[in-house]
Amino acid sequence: MYGLAHFHTRTPYLRHWSADIPLDPKLAESLPLMRLMCGSEYGAKLEQDYRAELVARIEDGLYWDRYTSERPWRNIYNNSAELYGQGRDEDFSSVWGVARMIRALTAWHGVNGDNNAALRAALIRGLRRIAIDASDYSYYPHKGGWHDGFVYPRSGWIDTTEAPRDREGPEGSVTCAHGHQIYAAAQFHALTGDPVAKELATRLARYVIKARFWGGTIDPDLKKTAAFNLTPLANDAPFRDGSQHGHWPLHFHARAIVLRGLLAYARTCHDERVLEFVRHAYEFTQTQGIPRLGWINTHPPAIGCEGCALGDLVGLAIRLTDAGAGDYWDDADAVVRNQLMEQQVTDAAALAEFCSRQPEVPHPHPYPAGYEDTRDAVARSVGVFFGITRPGFVTDPWVMHCCTGNASQGLYYAWEGALRESPGAAVINLLFNRAGRGIDVLSHLSHEGRVDIAVKMPIRVSVRIPRWTDIREAVVHVNGVVREPERLGRYLTARDLEPGDRLTVTFPIGEASAIYTINKGTPIEETYECCFRGSTLVELRGGPEPR
């Protein structure tokens, strides 16, 4: 798989990435979820072969990046050569790649019924075997290998020293390199009751929640900033201890990985303290951008929202709501409407025209054969997600396919959460178009405050009314006749609906403007005036001119 796509030049191209092998399972997890949403069989044989290739990389309870001279770029990831040296011509296993492989296998089982529990159990035990135990917690060493640091060489860990802080490794986060393992182990325990999975998730959770990994703030002097793992941090302001509440200073996606893992653990193992930690971290995150726009500055002290983070934000919002930690449906709605869909590449002609207007950018140095591919780069990129955006426009015209894998899962979380059905009942949480077994939902937002529901079986329907409108002014019609609904919180419920009935809910929708400032108190402070119709951004003023 090509891990990167570049469109800043007249001849766009795809490029390999040293993260290709551990990244593959993220895409493999996304594909069956996308098929569940749309029912398409496009490329099904290719996906089947892709799965077989990934499973063939599993050996001795681990998922391996095997050495081959055909991938000379495999050993270097970001600034890993500076941190860990050039690496070795030896097989290695990325610990987070193993966990993502478990998650992919779980998705295959859930969507297609694949009988792979034994393989998932073997991978859980492989991760448990190579974890380093220390009193009541376990960890993976950031100096254990090369590449992104948290890789287990075929010959064993090079160095098992425990990390002194979070900002280690090319991603600048020790906790990030443990998040997927916690998520995968908690998920497997929830599905099977596997005791080793519970032990692994519990011990890793105890490690990543340690105070030394959280809190702190970035020095606003941009001259002092550097790579994620080199950027200096200052202490929290007086009266605030971010380490107790999951405050993160930089690279949100790295922290979101572990927050989502901790959330899965908290829900599975009923850990109220961890659930509180994740809730506080999520609510802190909402202060780091323009949440009504669905835009979070994921890369302070710079300005940018990473595509990966969009999937994280939707996943956190919905799963925290499911856990009873709050009502975050409107947060998810804002991300999907204003960022997630807008950051996806859907218009090949427009992208090709953009590339045609760019200069031909020469490569600074030659690359090995097979490293890049210019064939049909635009056509092959339809459906992917741009890497970084500012409010209102794409910052740089390039793609990291980690973002494609994560953001596409955000689409699934929203699709799954929008309509939930059980025998005799349906609950509409997000007002998107959605086909279901018992009802079909047709939303008229943002043009009109109206949702039509076609009833296909005897059912009770509950509709969540967004917070930006007055629920007391919502009106429910059944087959054109006003009906008084039941009300509970933000939900209106109509009972005793029969096949062929038409349920319509109307409510006021208007436009409202608000002014927001991002990166306050820094040399790159920016102010935006946002005009929303309902939850949809319809006009944006302020900030820099798009390049």
Side-chain angles (χ1 to χ4, degrees):
M1 182 190 74
Y2 289 99
L4 304 170
H6 292 270
F7 307 105
H8 65 286
T9 181
R10 186 171 302 166
T11 304
Y13 59 91
L14 312 178
R15 177 180 288 177
H16 280 297
W17 195 15
S18 60
D20 294 353
I21 297 298
L23 182 60
D24 275 333
K26 181 188 283 194
L27 279 300
E29 180 184 1
S30 297
L31 285 166
L33 302 180
M34 300 302 100
R35 293 193 190 282
L36 184 62
M37 291 173 63
C38 68
S40 173
E41 291 298 313
Y42 177 79
K45 177 60 169 62
L46 179 61
E47 182 188 352
Q48 183 179 358
D49 295 342
Y50 185 44
R51 292 188 189 184
E53 162 61 22
L54 267 58
V55 170
R57 298 173 187 168
I58 299 174
E59 178 188 351
D60 192 28
L62 295 173
Y63 169 82
W64 294 94
D65 186 330
R66 296 190 175 102
Y67 168 72
T68 171
S69 59
E70 295 179 355
R71 293 180 62 243
W73 53 83
R74 69 186 283 272
N75 282 340
I76 306 300
Y77 179 66
N78 291 351
N79 63 334
S80 65
E82 176 186 350
L83 298 172
Y84 309 119
Q86 295 294 323
R88 305 173 181 175
D89 293 340
E90 179 185 344
D91 297 352
F92 65 74
S93 177
S94 163
V95 289
W96 60 268
V98 179
R100 292 239 60 141
M101 190 66 225
I102 298 170
R103 292 180 56 174
L105 290 165
T106 301
W108 303 351
H109 168 72
V111 176
N112 305 310
D114 290 16
N115 184 17
N116 55 31
L119 191 55
R120 285 179 281 157
L123 291 170
I124 289 288
R125 282 151 179 78
L127 286 172
R128 181 69 188 94
R129 184 182 75 246
I130 65 173
I132 306 300
D133 290 347
S135 66
D136 67 342
Y137 63 89
S138 300
Y139 66 92
Y140 301 98
H142 75 99
K143 296 181 180 178
W146 53 95
H147 187 256
D148 71 348
F150 302 87
V151 300
Y152 180 76
R154 180 77 75 169
S155 56
W157 293 119
I158 295 173
D159 185 334
T160 59
T161 303
E162 190 172 339
R165 60 177 191 168
D166 195 49
R167 293 182 340 275
E168 302 290 353
E171 289 286 340
S173 177
V174 170
T175 55
C176 165
H178 293 73
H180 289 305
Q181 296 90 293
I182 299 171
Y183 190 114
Q187 186 181 50
F188 189 62
H189 174 67
L191 292 171
T192 67
D194 186 282
V196 178
K198 181 179 181 181
E199 179 193 36
L200 178 63
T202 301
R203 293 182 67 89
L204 295 179
R206 289 174 184 154
Y207 177 64
V208 300
I209 206 170
K210 289 184 177 297
R212 70 174 182 265
F213 295 138
W214 300 90
T217 188
I218 296 174
D219 192 316
D221 184 352
L222 300 185
K223 295 178 181 178
K224 297 180 180 179
T225 64
F228 293 135
N229 45 26
L230 300 176
T231 299
L233 296 183
N235 293 329
D236 284 320
F239 307 104
R240 191 182 84 181
D241 183 1
S243 66
Q244 296 184 60
H245 304 289
H247 292 190
W248 50 271
L250 43 75
H251 196 189
F252 168 67
H253 171 54
R255 276 60 176 183
I257 288 172
V258 72
L259 291 173
R260 292 178 62 193
L262 286 171
L263 179 54
Y265 162 75
R267 296 182 66 199
T268 298
C269 298
H270 312 293
D271 192 318
E272 176 59 29
R273 171 64 186 117
V274 171
L275 180 61
E276 177 191 48
F277 183 89
V278 177
R279 176 172 64 87
H280 288 176
Y282 174 79
E283 291 179 346
F284 168 77
T285 300
Q286 293 294 299
T287 70
Q288 301 303 296
I290 309 176
R292 192 172 176 186
L293 182 58
W295 188 93
I296 298 298
N297 188 16
T298 62
H299 284 73
I303 297 179
C305 183
E306 183 178 354
C308 279
L310 302 178
D312 295 327
L313 289 167
V314 177
L316 282 168
I318 293 177
R319 295 296 179 255
L320 277 168
T321 303
D322 290 342
D327 181 347
Y328 302 112
W329 288 115
D330 289 299
D331 292 351
D333 184 76
V335 174
V336 174
R337 289 184 185 277
N338 299 314
Q339 288 297 133
L340 188 60
M341 293 191 296
E342 298 299 327
Q343 209 153 320
Q344 187 178 28
V345 176
T346 58
D347 191 333
L351 182 57
E353 181 183 1
F354 171 84
C355 293
S356 71
R357 297 180 180 181
Q358 307 309 305
E360 197 68 72
V361 179
H363 297 307
H365 51 80
Y367 294 105
Y371 187 54
E372 294 180 351
D373 191 352
T374 60
R375 294 172 298 172
D376 299 323
V378 169
R380 294 161 70 181
S381 297
V382 173
V384 306
F385 288 80
F386 281 116
I388 304 291
T389 64
R390 290 171 97 104
F393 65 93
V394 175
T395 306
D396 297 299
W398 72 304
V399 169
M400 303 175 286
H401 283 308
C402 57
C403 295
T404 297
N406 235 49
S408 59
Q409 290 179 30
L411 292 176
Y412 170 77
Y413 302 139
W415 176 86
E416 183 277 330
L419 170 63
R420 288 174 172 167
E421 297 176 296
S422 58
V427 179
I428 301 169
N429 297 303
L430 295 170
L431 303 184
F432 301 135
N433 293 345
R434 176 76 154 81
R437 291 184 175 88
I439 62 173
D440 290 337
V441 182
L442 175 62
S443 174
H444 295 259
L445 295 178
S446 60
H447 304 285
E448 183 181 359
R450 174 179 169 181
V451 179
D452 293 324
I453 297 129
V455 177
K456 299 188 285 188
M457 62 175 61
I459 204 165
R460 177 183 76 249
V461 177
S462 299
V463 181
R464 184 184 181 280
I465 305 302
R467 67 184 174 209
W468 44 260
T469 192
D470 189 342
I471 192 171
R472 295 170 299 181
E473 296 187 39
V475 179
V476 173
H477 293 80
V478 177
N479 301 324
V481 178
V482 174
R483 178 183 293 189
E484 187 66 26
E486 299 174 14
R487 176 182 170 186
L488 181 61
R490 299 298 303 178
Y491 289 85
L492 300 180
T493 298
R495 296 178 178 271
D496 302 322
L497 299 172
E498 297 294 332
D501 283 348
R502 187 81 166 184
L503 173 65
T504 298
V505 182
T506 60
F507 43 84
I509 184 172
E511 294 188 2
S513 294
I515 296 175
Y516 300 93
T517 299
I518 60 177
N519 279 25
K520 179 71 174 178
T522 74
I524 50 174
E525 177 180 310
E526 293 181 356
T527 298
Y528 293 85
E529 183 178 1
C530 304
C531 181
F532 296 94
R533 181 169 176 79
S535 57
T536 302
L537 181 76
V538 293
E539 186 176 3
L540 182 70
R541 293 183 290 272
E545 288 294 322
R547 297 194 302 273

